[in-house]
Amino acid sequence: MSEPRTLGCAVSGRPEGRQLRTVFRSVRLQPDPRLAVALTEAVAIICLVTTPDLPSLRDFLRHAARPAGTFSYHELQGFLFAMACSPEPVEPSEWLPILFNDKPASFASEAEAQHILSQLTTRYNEVNAAVLEGNPSLPDDCPVLPDAMANFDEDAPLAAWSHGFLAGHDWLDESWDVELPQEMEDELNAILLTLTLFASRDVAERFQQEGDFGNETLENVAARAIEILPDAMASYAHMGRTVLADAYAPVEQRRVTKVGRNDPCPCGSGKKFKQCHGQA
């Protein structure tokens, strides 16, 4: 199992990165031993979180001061789910810049940086805890609209979640590039289709026109996808964190015990090693 990894500064080479070094100094991600956030500066951060004049994470992400291409709040939720399910541990310092399209986040102050990053930490930990418990689901504040087709709308929470998840999975493409038995490969493709279906109505309609859904209408496919979404999330998490993760687990070196020439042969013959398999 990988060593716990410290939450590093995503923009350490920039002016605001110098501000953030104090934020990340001793923050760790928990309970995932690969990535964890145990807030040893929790008192200061909690005080900042409750400061009324600092923006919520949702408001911060949609503020005009953010660079073009910054993730929306629901895109962030889908992206974090993909990160939490990664077969290979990923440093937060690697994916944090992606949220802001690899541009400076333009924090107004160090206090705002601490406030927003602590909220990001909280959201990641919530997603990660659900993944570890084997019971991931859409966040309570990411509702599914009653009309299945309405979830394709650009401003629909599920559409944004699916778009963020797709961005995260694509970014982790190399981590998922593990040779699998055909049955498991087919299962993964079906899971991905379910989790990304609402990311683009145009793509979903093209799949439907090309016969990928059989004779099912897109409305029926959308309704079915919503129904099985929790199972698809659980299967994706299990495949990433359990099945494929084994490919990245460190291989333990076997302890080799030297057998003396006069010791019993390990084969169980009862003969001395020198008279059995130890003969040159």
Side-chain angles (χ1 to χ4, degrees), residues 15-254:
E16 62 183 357
R18 291 193 292 273
Q19 290 182 331
L20 302 185
R21 273 194 282 271
T22 56
V23 179
F24 288 123
R25 187 167 58 245
S26 55
V27 179
R28 288 184 176 274
L29 298 172
Q30 295 200 4
D32 179 3
R34 310 179 312 166
L35 281 163
V37 160
L39 300 177
T40 57
E41 296 177 0
V43 175
I45 291 178
I46 289 172
C47 290
L48 288 168
V49 169
T50 58
T51 303
D53 59 344
L54 291 174
S56 68
L57 179 57
R58 186 193 298 259
D59 289 341
F60 178 82
L61 291 172
R62 65 187 177 191
H63 194 277
R66 303 292 79 75
T70 294
F71 279 27
S72 70
Y73 180 70
H74 294 306
E75 285 176 327
L76 167 69
Q77 291 173 318
F79 182 84
L80 292 181
F81 176 67
M83 295 302 103
C85 297
S86 172
E88 186 179 18
V90 184
E91 291 283 358
S93 58
E94 294 181 53
W95 54 255
L96 277 169
I98 299 172
L99 305 181
F100 304 102
N101 201 20
D102 287 317
K103 295 180 176 65
S106 301
F107 296 106
S109 64
E110 183 176 335
E112 184 178 75
Q114 289 179 316
H115 174 67
I116 295 303
L117 292 169
S118 68
Q119 289 188 67
L120 281 169
T121 293
T122 298
R123 298 298 178 274
Y124 176 85
N125 283 344
E126 291 171 350
V127 174
N128 187 59
V131 166
L132 290 176
E133 292 167 3
N135 190 33
S137 62
L138 291 177
D140 292 338
D141 57 354
C142 184
V144 176
L145 302 179
D147 178 3
M149 293 299 290
N151 290 286
F152 283 108
D153 294 346
E154 187 175 343
D155 59 350
L158 181 54
W161 185 95
S162 294
H163 190 267
F165 167 78
L166 178 59
H169 182 82
D170 283 350
W171 187 72
L172 292 167
D173 182 59
E174 290 186 5
S175 294
W176 285 86
D177 188 17
V178 176
E179 187 173 351
L180 296 171
Q182 188 59 51
E183 183 178 353
M184 191 174 294
E185 185 74 34
D186 293 342
E187 179 185 359
L188 177 59
N189 289 335
I191 291 169
L192 289 173
L193 180 59
T194 300
L195 297 180
T196 62
L197 179 69
F198 296 97
S200 171
R201 180 167 183 160
D202 290 342
V203 173
E205 288 177 342
R206 187 159 65 247
F207 280 147
Q208 196 271 335
Q209 292 168 2
E210 293 174 355
D212 291 327
F213 302 144
N215 296 322
E216 290 285 328
T217 64
L218 185 56
E219 290 82 356
N220 288 342
V221 171
R224 176 61 177 158
I226 291 171
E227 180 183 347
I228 66 175
L229 188 63
D231 289 338
M233 292 179 68
S235 296
Y236 180 82
H238 174 72
M239 192 168 290
R241 292 293 293 269
T242 304
V243 180
L244 272 71
D246 289 344
Y248 295 97
V251 178
E252 295 184 4
Q253 294 185 350
R254 295 179 179 178

